[in-house]
């Protein structure tokens, strides 16, 4: 996604949200860990533009590597407080939850620190740079008894959920093939950052999550081909991979950070024995998302239909991502079973994120590349756990 510039000032105080039990709940008090470019459109704008979300979330402050950067971000984006450091924010008892938008290389370490500080965490995707990091972050959430969600926002959108429902209902018959193509404009990090991270890590992390969500089963990697960057041979400019599920269905994921892909739409196609579903640009929002699902059935009538998800344009994937996080935190708190693997009722939880990054590691290997190595040590004791096997 392209940068949308500075967001209007953060919404002022609003009434508490009423739970489905009728009781009034305090808004979730969130601190933003990192002054990333996507903060305005992935956090601030969905809250500002949707009164129901503003009644559930209160953005307390923002922290960055440099205090001056946090001060500038808070001023430009209308955030009430700029913290002196990451630790300063994590020590603030007024912050109950953290949205971690830090770079991938240090994301897992600071997610663990936030969890150890007693904060619930919504993390940018992926949770870490490899499966070991993601597994240890999950372990830290369970140890701390705190909610941890990966921000795979496209899978939160009702279009994606409806397509999965249509597959389960047999609208296309037995599932045969899922095709998904993600161009550079799908990424939140901008073209320059995406080009440094590579296609699979910056874009494919969403593709893997979407394909696994739609199929409802775990795939194995059949083959993968990467086009390396001329500047950095260990970075993939494009990645193409073929997957196979135990049911016999197949999937193809293509992603590219090449600038010549910037005008291409993000699309996915689901083909079954009795029909085909096509969806494009379902995640963008801001009036650019079609919210349309085209179904073609291969019966004698050859019927074609278009189903439109009744969703206001201000409710993009980030709105649904944030809503899911709040619902997960509040739901687990009410049940008094917080952070346990079986406690996740509004999402699949961090275990699902671990499976996605494990698949990413396997795709790297199939393409003749090494999975990303950890660049930052994790806090104790997670710097030692699992080293003999992971």
């Amino acid at each position: 996604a392209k940068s949308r510039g500075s967001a209007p000032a953060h919404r002022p105080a609003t009434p508490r949200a009423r739970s489905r039990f009728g009781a009034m709940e305090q808004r979730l008090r969130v601190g933003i860990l990192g002054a990333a470019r996507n903060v305005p459109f992935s956090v601030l704008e969905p809250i500002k533009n949707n009164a129901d979300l503003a009644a559930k979330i209160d953005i307390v402050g923002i922290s960055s590597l440099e205090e001056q950067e946090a001060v500038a971000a808070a001023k430009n984006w209308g955030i009430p407080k700029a913290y002196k450091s990451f630790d300063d924010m994590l020590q603030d008892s007024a912050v109950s939850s953290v949205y971690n938008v830090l770079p991938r290389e240090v994301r897992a370490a600071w997610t663990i620190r936030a969890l150890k500080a007693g904060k619930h965490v919504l993390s940018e995707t992926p949770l870490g740079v490899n499966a070991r990091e993601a597994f240890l972050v999950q372990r830290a959430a369970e140890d701390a008894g705190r909610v941890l969600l990966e921000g795979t926002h496209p899978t939160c959108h009702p279009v994606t959920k409806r397509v999965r429902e249509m597959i389960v209902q047999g609208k296309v018959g037995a599932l045969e093939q899922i095709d998904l193509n993600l161009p550079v404009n799908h990424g939140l990090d901008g073209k320059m950052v995406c080009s440094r991270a590579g296609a699979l890590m910056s874009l494919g992390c969403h593709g893997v999550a979407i394909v696994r969500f739609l199929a409802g089963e775990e795939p194995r990697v059949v083959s993968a081909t990467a086009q390396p960057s001329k500047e950095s041979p260990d970075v993939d400019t494009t990645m193409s991979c073929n997957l196979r599920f135990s049911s016999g269905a197949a999937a193809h994921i293509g992603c590219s950070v090449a600038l010549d892909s910037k005008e291409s739409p993000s699309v996915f196609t689901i083909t079954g024995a009795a029909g085909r579903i096509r969806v494009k640009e379902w995640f963008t929002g801001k009036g650019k998302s079609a919210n349309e699902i085209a179904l073609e059935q291969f019966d004698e009538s050859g019927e074609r239909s278009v189903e439109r998800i009744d969703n206001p344009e201000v409710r993009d994937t980030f709105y649904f991502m944030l809503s899911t996080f709040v619902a997960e935190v509040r739901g687990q708190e009410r049940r008094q079973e917080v952070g346990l693997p079986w406690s996740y009722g509004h999402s699949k939880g961090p275990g699902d994120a671990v499976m996605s990054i494990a698949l990413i590691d396997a795709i790297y290997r199939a393409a003749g590349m090494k999975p990303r190595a950890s660049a930052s040590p994790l806090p104790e004791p997670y710097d030692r756990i699992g080293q003999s096997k992971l």
Side-chain angles (χ1 to χ4, degrees), residues 100 106-116 121 123 137 148:
N100 185 352
V106 298
R107 187 177 298 155
W110 280 102
T111 292
I112 291 175
R113 291 187 180 99
L115 291 165
K116 292 181 71 175
V121 178
S123 170
V137 172
L148 170 65

Side-chain angles (χ1 to χ4, degrees), residues 287-308:
K288 299 178 182 178
S289 179
N291 287 323
E292 288 184 352
I293 303 169
L295 171 65
E296 178 184 2
Q297 294 182 310
F298 302 151
D299 55 16
E300 293 181 0
S301 64
E303 181 179 350
R304 297 186 181 187
S305 62
V306 174
E307 178 177 326
R308 181 173 177 81

Side-chain angles (χ1 to χ4, degrees), residues 116-270:
K116 292 181 71 175
K119 316 300 183 187
H120 304 294
V121 178
L122 174 62
S123 170
E124 267 293 0
T125 182
L127 288 182
V129 297
N130 53 50
R132 180 178 185 272
E133 281 194 356
F135 165 74
L136 293 174
V137 172
Q138 178 193 16
R139 177 78 172 267
E142 294 170 3
D143 291 345
R146 289 295 178 265
V147 172
L148 170 65
L149 286 190
E150 181 185 51
T152 50
H153 57 99
T155 60
C156 297
H157 198 280
V159 167
T160 317
K161 293 182 177 181
R162 174 56 182 152
V163 172
R164 170 60 185 162
E165 184 179 53
M166 293 170 74
I167 294 172
V168 172
Q169 291 173 343
K171 297 287 187 181
V172 295
L175 180 64
E176 294 181 345
Q177 178 78 30
I178 300 174
D179 290 294
L180 177 64
N181 288 287
L182 300 174
V184 67
N185 278 352
H186 177 90
L188 298 182
D189 298 323
K191 301 177 186 64
M192 293 301 295
V193 176
C194 284
S195 65
R196 291 194 296 268
L200 183 59
M201 188 60 72
S202 58
L203 305 174
C205 56
H206 289 300
V208 162
I210 292 167
V211 165
R212 291 181 54 248
F213 179 86
L214 292 177
E217 55 180 323
E218 297 302 329
R220 62 179 177 83
V221 182
V222 176
S223 63
T225 304
Q227 179 181 331
S229 165
K230 295 179 180 179
E231 294 78 16
S232 303
D234 58 338
V235 174
D236 51 315
T237 299
T238 65
M239 180 68 77
S240 175
C241 66
N242 295 298
L243 310 174
R244 180 73 65 178
F245 299 93
S246 58
S247 63
H252 172 264
I253 301 172
C255 47
S256 173
V257 294
L259 293 182
D260 59 8
S261 73
K262 65 182 180 180
E263 301 302 327
S264 302
S266 294
V267 297
F268 66 75
T269 304
I270 295 89

Side-chain angles (χ1 to χ4, degrees), residues 50-70:
N50 295 278
D52 60 328
L53 192 57
K56 299 175 183 177
I57 297 178
D58 181 20
I59 301 299
V60 176
I62 189 168
S63 59
S64 188
L65 185 63
E66 300 290 340
E67 182 182 3
Q68 291 182 341
E69 186 177 25

Side-chain angles (χ1 to χ4, degrees), residues 356-369:
S356 284
I357 192 68
L359 182 56
I360 287 173
D361 285 355
I363 293 170
Y364 276 129
R365 294 188 186 98
M369 302 179 70

Side-chain angles (χ1 to χ4, degrees), residues 312-326:
E313 62 186 46
V314 294
R315 293 189 172 184
D316 57 14
T317 50
F318 305 110
Y319 166 86
F320 293 104
M321 176 188 74
L322 294 168
S323 297
T324 300
F325 180 59
V326 175

